[in-house]
Amino acid sequence: MSNVVPSCRFTARGLTQLRYNIGLVAFAIVCAAPVDVGAREPKGWIVLKNCRLISNPANDGDSFHASAGAREYIFRLYMVDAPETDEMNPARLVEQAKYFAITVPQAIEVGLAAKEFTRAQLSESFTVFTHMSDAMGRSKLERFYAFVQTKAGDLGEELVRNGLARNYGFKAVPPGLRNSRLEVEKLQQFEAEAKQEKIGGWGVSAGRLNIHAQKPAPFSVFAAEKIARSQASPWMNSLSRNSATPAFRSSSTTVGPVDAKKSHAKEKIEPGRIDINTATEKELKMIPGVGPVLASRIIAARPFRSADDLKKVNGIGDKKYAKIRPYFQ
C-alpha cells in the first residue's frame, strides 16, 4: 500500500464553509463572555447606573467606595479636590489650607464637612461616568477617576459651588463635550461664587462652613448647558430624556439662553462709569467682552489700586484690556 498525502487545496465552496464555521465559533465565544454592569458608550465612556454608596472609613469628599450591581469600586472625582479629613498627608493638607487661606485644623473641618456633604448627596442612587483610569489610591482595591451625577447635579460641581472643594486635579473631557476647557471655566465660576458668598472653606473663619449656596450661578445655564446640548452625542441626549437626573446639568437654574441675551442687549453701560472695586457682577457683564466668568475673576481679584491693574486678571490680555479699560473710572 502506498502512502498518499492528502491534498491541502480547498475549493471555493470549501473555503466559504470553513469561514462560516470559524464565524460561528467566534460568535459563540463572544456570547459566552461575561457582561459587565456598565455599558461601554462612545469614546470609551463606561456608564454605571443605579450605583450605591458603600460606607467606608476611607470615604471622603472626593473619593468613596460604591457598588454597581454586585461589584464594588472606589471612585475619585475628576477636576476637584476636597481637603483631607485627617493628618495622614500633612504636606497636602498644608497646601490645601493655604489655598483656602485657613489653618490646617480648619482645613480638616472643611474636609469632614465635604465628606458629610458627599455622603448626603449619594444617599440615593447615582450614575457614574468613567474611563476606568487609575486614580492611584492607598487601598488594595483599584481606584478610578469618574464624573458622578446625582439628583442635585454633578457632584464635583456641587462641592465646588458650596465651597467644599477647589477646582484642582486630574482633568478629563466630560461626556458630550469636545474639550475640558468649558468644565474648567464652569468650576472656576462656581469657586468664585462660593468665595464671594463666603461659604464652606471660604467662610469657615466666619462660622459659615455649613452654609449652602444661595445665589444661582448664571454661567451654568446660558453658556455651559447650551454648548453641552449642542455638542452632546445621541446617547447623552437619550440619558437626559430617560433619567430623572439631567446629564451633566449644573447646580442651579437661572434664565434661559435666549432670555439672557435679550436682557443683556437692552442695557448699556457708559464709558468711564464703573468703579473697579464696587461694581456688581451685573454691571461688569454689561461691558462688551465681559462675560460671567471674567466678571467673577475681576470680583475675586479685588481690591485693585486702580483699573490699570485689570491686566493682572487671568483672561485679560492686551486686546481685552484695551477694549474694556475705557468703561472703568
Side-chain angles (χ1 to χ4, degrees), residues 149-187:
Q149 187 74 19
T150 72
K151 285 190 175 181
D154 178 75
L155 178 58
E157 293 177 4
E158 290 293 319
L159 282 163
V160 173
R161 183 67 188 90
N162 286 280
L164 299 174
R166 57 180 174 160
N167 174 206
Y168 178 92
F170 195 84
K171 294 182 176 62
V173 181
L177 299 182
R178 294 177 181 174
N179 58 61
S180 61
R181 177 187 57 80
L182 185 64
E183 185 66 14
V184 169
E185 290 185 352
K186 191 197 299 187
L187 290 169

Side-chain angles (χ1 to χ4, degrees), residues 257-273:
V258 177
D259 295 334
K261 288 181 180 179
K262 286 182 179 178
S263 62
H264 187 84
K266 287 180 181 178
E267 299 179 274
K268 294 182 179 180
I269 196 77
E270 296 297 326
R273 173 184 161 186

Side-chain angles (χ1 to χ4, degrees), residues 46-257:
I46 294 173
V47 181
L48 303 175
K49 299 182 181 180
N50 298 316
C51 295
R52 292 284 179 178
L53 180 68
I54 297 176
S55 180
N56 190 291
N59 289 352
D60 57 26
D62 56 35
S63 180
F64 47 85
H65 292 243
S67 64
R71 294 189 60 179
E72 179 178 353
Y73 299 89
I74 303 178
F75 294 114
R76 169 69 168 86
L77 297 178
Y78 278 118
M79 305 174 77
V80 303
D81 176 54
E84 303 295 308
T85 57
D86 54 42
E87 298 179 350
M88 294 290 288
N89 193 340
R92 186 170 182 79
L93 193 55
V94 168
E95 193 247 334
Q96 290 167 333
K98 183 178 179 181
Y99 187 89
F100 284 96
I102 56 180
T103 66
V104 167
Q106 286 176 326
I108 293 177
E109 283 187 63
V110 177
L112 292 171
K115 176 179 179 177
E116 176 57 27
F117 181 88
T118 292
R119 187 199 64 76
Q121 293 286 306
L122 302 183
S123 61
E124 298 184 46
S125 62
F126 52 93
T127 301
V128 172
F129 299 83
T130 180
H131 281 307
M132 293 299 183
S133 299
D134 187 8
M136 297 181 294
R138 289 177 289 188
S139 171
K140 292 181 180 179
L141 188 64
E142 192 173 11
R143 187 170 68 159
F144 303 107
Y145 281 110
F147 289 105
V148 174
Q149 187 74 19
T150 72
K151 285 190 175 181
D154 178 75
L155 178 58
E157 293 177 4
E158 290 293 319
L159 282 163
V160 173
R161 183 67 188 90
N162 286 280
L164 299 174
R166 57 180 174 160
N167 174 206
Y168 178 92
F170 195 84
K171 294 182 176 62
V173 181
L177 299 182
R178 294 177 181 174
N179 58 61
S180 61
R181 177 187 57 80
L182 185 64
E183 185 66 14
V184 169
E185 290 185 352
K186 191 197 299 187
L187 290 169
Q188 288 173 342
Q189 167 72 7
F190 290 164
E191 188 172 301
E193 292 279 346
K195 190 173 183 179
Q196 185 178 11
E197 292 176 28
K198 292 183 170 59
I199 56 177
W202 306 108
V204 63
S205 298
R208 295 175 57 80
L209 172 60
N210 294 308
I211 303 297
H212 288 174
Q214 298 296 319
K215 200 165 74 173
F219 179 70
S220 63
V221 173
F222 59 79
E225 198 167 298
K226 177 182 177 184
I227 296 175
R229 284 199 301 266
S230 69
Q231 295 180 350
S233 55
W235 68 270
M236 281 295 292
N237 291 329
S238 175
L239 179 64
S240 294
R241 290 192 298 270
N242 298 330
S243 170
T245 303
F248 284 92
R249 180 157 297 185
S250 50
S251 58
S252 55
T253 303
T254 58
V255 295

